[in-house]
Amino acid sequence: MSTFPRSPKSKRGYNVDQVDEFLQTARRAYDGDQDTPELTADDIRHVAFAMAKGGYSTTHVDAALERLEDAFAARERELTRAKHGDAGWFEEARTTAQVVLNRLDRPPGHRFDRVNVLTLGYNRNDVDRFANRLVRYFQDGRPMSVEEVRTVTFREQRGGYREVQVDLLLDSVTDVMLAVR
């Protein structure tokens, strides 16, 4: 029996063996198996699998990985709170949030480095529009879900924002949101 639904044999999905191996490792890491390398919510967020015809449905695997990331983040939050107390835990989340806000305080069109005009990056207007929503979330308490941050997409644009910088900021936002859940 498969762990997830499979994509049709003619369509590509995630490599079944890689997904199953990763999930077994994650289960052992969560259970505290001493022979398993430590695994963090950040590791789960950045895991990648090869694509293969007839592989696991990417939608189903991605949803499971998000739940797994949430579980690891909750455990990490509790470990941090136990080690450093509520004040230390809040201070860490507050510091990360301030770094995010400092970046987003830059003028629209200049919040991130831009790639050269011959290279595709993220559309500056799309990113700036989402950045404004993030500012309202952090400063005004406007509702926003971690799912919105995880799944936001931006159009491509020649001379756009450098994707790596934007993605790292979104990872930091996700970290803060998971920390304060």
Side-chain angles (χ1 to χ4, degrees), residues 90-157:
F90 279 121
E91 185 57 34
E92 186 176 317
R94 189 179 6 260
T95 300
T96 303
Q98 189 59 56
V99 169
V100 167
L101 281 171
N102 290 346
R103 168 67 70 166
L104 299 181
D105 194 38
R106 295 176 181 184
H110 301 283
R111 289 178 168 146
F112 301 93
D113 290 343
R114 291 167 61 173
V115 296
N116 73 47
V117 295
L118 301 176
T119 305
L120 291 172
Y122 285 144
N123 181 282
R124 292 186 310 274
N125 289 332
D126 290 355
V127 173
D128 285 338
R129 195 172 11 265
F130 193 73
N132 291 337
R133 288 190 59 215
L134 290 172
V135 169
R136 289 190 298 273
Y137 166 78
F138 282 112
Q139 291 182 338
D140 304 334
R142 292 271 178 94
M144 178 178 276
S145 71
V146 71
E147 183 69 21
E148 290 176 81
V149 177
R150 284 176 172 155
T151 60
V152 67
T153 57
F154 307 111
R155 293 174 293 170
E156 292 181 321
Q157 173 186 22

Side-chain angles (χ1 to χ4, degrees), residues 5-9 11-16 52-58:
R6 298 237 187 167
S7 59
K9 293 225 183 271
K11 303 273 185 190
R12 296 167 73 76
Y14 289 138
N15 179 288
V16 170
K53 287 188 177 183
Y56 283 143
S57 161
T58 57

Side-chain angles (χ1 to χ4, degrees), residues 31-58:
D31 291 342
D33 184 340
Q34 300 299 322
D35 297 328
T36 303
E38 185 176 331
L39 194 62
T40 66
D42 192 53
D43 296 330
I44 294 165
R45 185 179 317 133
H46 293 103
V47 70
F49 305 110
M51 301 298 284
K53 287 188 177 183
Y56 283 143
S57 161
T58 57

Side-chain angles (χ1 to χ4, degrees), residues 156-176:
E156 292 181 321
Q157 173 186 22
R158 291 201 185 284
Y161 282 141
R162 188 169 306 282
E163 293 178 11
V164 171
Q165 284 189 326
V166 175
D167 291 344
L168 286 172
L169 180 111
L170 294 174
D171 285 346
S172 294
V173 170
T174 300
D175 288 340
V176 171

